[in-house]
Amino acid sequence: MSWLTRSSFRHPYRSLLSVFILWKASLLLLAILTPGPGYDTSTTLFPWHKNTDETEGIVQSTSRLISTKLTRWDSIYFTEAARRGHLLEQEWAFSYAFSKFINLLACGFTNIGAIPYEFKHSALGIAISHAAHAISVVVLYRLACTLFPGAQGRKLAFIAAYLHIISPAGLFLSAPCTESTYSLLSFTGTLLFAQSFGARGVSISIKDSLLVLAGILYGLSTAVRGNGLLNGIVFFEEACRVLYSLTQGFSFAKFRRLVAVGLGGICTGLGFVLPQYIAYQHFCATHEDPSREWCHRTIPSIYSFVQDHYW
């Protein structure tokens, strides 16, 4: 603990980055050196998992090996959906937004002639997860410092960020899964929400704008993982607080705050609704007589149907 006190707390970002690099390198090394196909052999069905080019360079071969080792279980759904889209109903249990983001990056790199690999969707998904995890560590540190100011607060913030690095989620935060991206978006949204209360030297209108931005980030996190919808609870609580304050006396500032809260809540909800609307258009609206039972429900949610029908 003395090492943490003397060095880490004085240079928190440098210390956190060092720990992050060491931890991620250890996990990747462990994955690479682990013999055999692992607990899930599905990746071996991909044509790209083996090198068929004798002239393949060290960078490409290492990237192929890492992609093969980390593309397991849910990652297969995400990367395959990124490659060819969400074709089957059960695939909608795996984030449309995250897969679409990987697809857009892959198309962008293809257009400029970069990453011309068959496994580029897996490699990009892994890169996204690493970058999102690293940035989320910094955002979590800033969030904790905002909530708990002072020297003790900074120590608590560092410990929280450190624990987020060595999370029990392990390689799931490195694999092409949604956990890292979701944490980044949720932490950033919460940071903006917290700053809408106590940011010094900032006008009230900007603080209200931070609420809307927080809602947008929460909406994106909800699009990545459906349970992000629970982030909307903070908007509900704030709406109740503002409504109560309005009973004590009306003011334009309070009304504007209430509007900002409402917009933030709507943005959060859209992250849950829009992917399902896209699925509805794909499976239901394009057919004159859709055969899928969930298309005829009062609330045609593909999320709930997939969970009930396939799991």
Side-chain angles (χ1 to χ4, degrees), residues 132-281:
H133 189 192
I135 300 172
S136 69
V137 170
V138 176
V139 174
L140 178 59
Y141 177 81
R142 292 301 311 152
L143 172 60
C145 287
T146 300
L147 296 176
F148 307 101
Q152 287 299 116
R154 288 193 296 273
K155 290 182 180 180
L156 178 63
F158 182 87
I159 294 172
Y162 175 83
L163 292 176
H164 182 52
I165 294 174
I166 60 172
S167 166
L171 277 173
F172 279 101
L173 295 176
S174 300
C177 293
T178 56
E179 280 80 357
S180 294
T181 305
Y182 172 77
S183 66
L184 171 60
L185 295 170
S186 291
F187 289 165
T188 306
T190 304
L191 175 60
L192 293 173
F193 185 85
Q195 289 178 337
S196 73
F197 290 91
R200 296 180 180 178
V202 177
S203 66
I204 297 177
S205 60
I206 292 180
K207 290 182 180 180
D208 293 341
S209 299
L210 291 177
L211 277 178
V212 180
L213 290 176
I216 293 173
L217 268 297
Y218 281 155
L220 292 174
S221 72
T222 304
V224 170
R225 290 181 69 87
N227 54 4
L229 188 64
L230 295 174
N231 289 322
I233 293 175
V234 297
F235 288 111
F236 176 75
E237 185 276 335
E238 178 64 3
C240 292
R241 189 188 69 83
V242 176
L243 284 172
Y244 177 77
S245 68
L246 282 171
T247 63
Q248 310 300 311
F250 178 85
S251 70
F252 178 74
K254 292 179 181 178
F255 177 75
R256 184 177 58 197
R257 180 80 175 181
L258 184 62
V259 171
V261 170
L263 290 175
I266 290 173
C267 290
T268 303
L270 284 176
F272 189 77
V273 173
L274 284 180
Q276 298 192 83
Y277 174 77
I278 295 172
Y280 181 85
Q281 290 294 110

Side-chain angles (χ1 to χ4, degrees), residues 50-78:
K50 285 186 177 181
N51 176 22
T52 57
D53 184 2
E54 296 181 356
T55 62
E56 185 176 73
I58 184 66
V59 174
Q60 183 175 350
S61 61
T62 303
S63 299
R64 183 190 302 275
L65 178 59
I66 293 175
S67 297
T68 301
K69 290 290 187 178
L70 296 189
T71 306
R72 294 281 194 268
W73 206 9
D74 290 0
S75 301
I76 294 175
Y77 278 96
F78 291 122

Side-chain angles (χ1 to χ4, degrees), residues 6 9 11 49 63 93 110 125 134 182 197 218 247 250 256 301 303 309:
R6 294 175 183 176
F9 296 144
H11 308 285
H49 92 280
S63 299
T110 299
Y182 172 77
F197 290 91
Y218 281 155
T247 63
F250 178 85
R256 184 177 58 197
S301 171
Y303 289 170
H309 189 74

